[in-house]
Amino acid sequence: QERLAVSGGGSVQPGGSQRLSCSVSGFTYSYYCMVWFRQAPGKEREAVASEYSGGGSTYYSDSVKGRFTISLDSSKNTYLQMNSLKPEDSAMYYCAARRGSCLWDFLLEDYTYWSQGTQVTVSS
């Protein structure tokens, strides 16, 4: 059975860094899209970064471009390195996956597999 589990998160001061990890188990697909979503209180869940396992297709939202980096490893785990964090980055973060290519509208229902959330709080 496919399972995603996220770790990392916590509190950090503005300008600091954090790394989120999403471990994947039971995932047998060779081609899949991994996405990091986040949801702040009172806001919709938004995609901040995605990467296709087949390569050549990485997305960052404008709000995180240049500060966040998504990566995949050979075990299908995915990571989100977050640098220069801002208070507006505070949110619950999730990793999600779908079989096949990434879809650029990032509709939540297109992602079959979800992790639990991890809270990231950026505050002085």
Side-chain angles (χ1 to χ4, degrees), residues 74-97:
S74 58
S75 299
K76 298 184 171 68
N77 300 318
T78 185
Y79 306 93
L80 187 68
Q81 178 65 42
M82 305 184 292
N83 298 328
S84 302
L85 283 162
K86 304 175 181 180
E88 50 264 41
D89 294 318
S90 298
M92 191 74 76
Y93 283 73
Y94 305 84
C95 62

Side-chain angles (χ1 to χ4, degrees), residues 3-74:
R3 186 171 177 268
L4 277 63
V6 67
S7 60
S11 296
V12 63
Q13 292 191 339
S17 297
Q18 274 196 348
R19 188 184 194 223
L20 304 182
S21 300
C22 178
S23 63
V24 178
S25 58
F27 220 64
T28 59
Y29 312 125
S30 296
Y31 297 102
Y32 53 93
C33 177
M34 297 296 294
V35 184
W36 285 96
F37 287 88
R38 70 184 181 187
Q39 187 167 20
K43 294 189 176 182
E44 293 186 352
R45 195 170 297 190
E46 62 169 345
V48 296
S50 72
E51 186 162 357
Y52 175 54
S53 65
S57 181
T58 302
Y59 162 85
Y60 295 99
S61 67
D62 288 343
S63 59
V64 308
K65 199 173 295 182
R67 300 186 298 119
F68 289 14
T69 303
I70 187 172
S71 59
L72 303 180
D73 69 17
S74 58

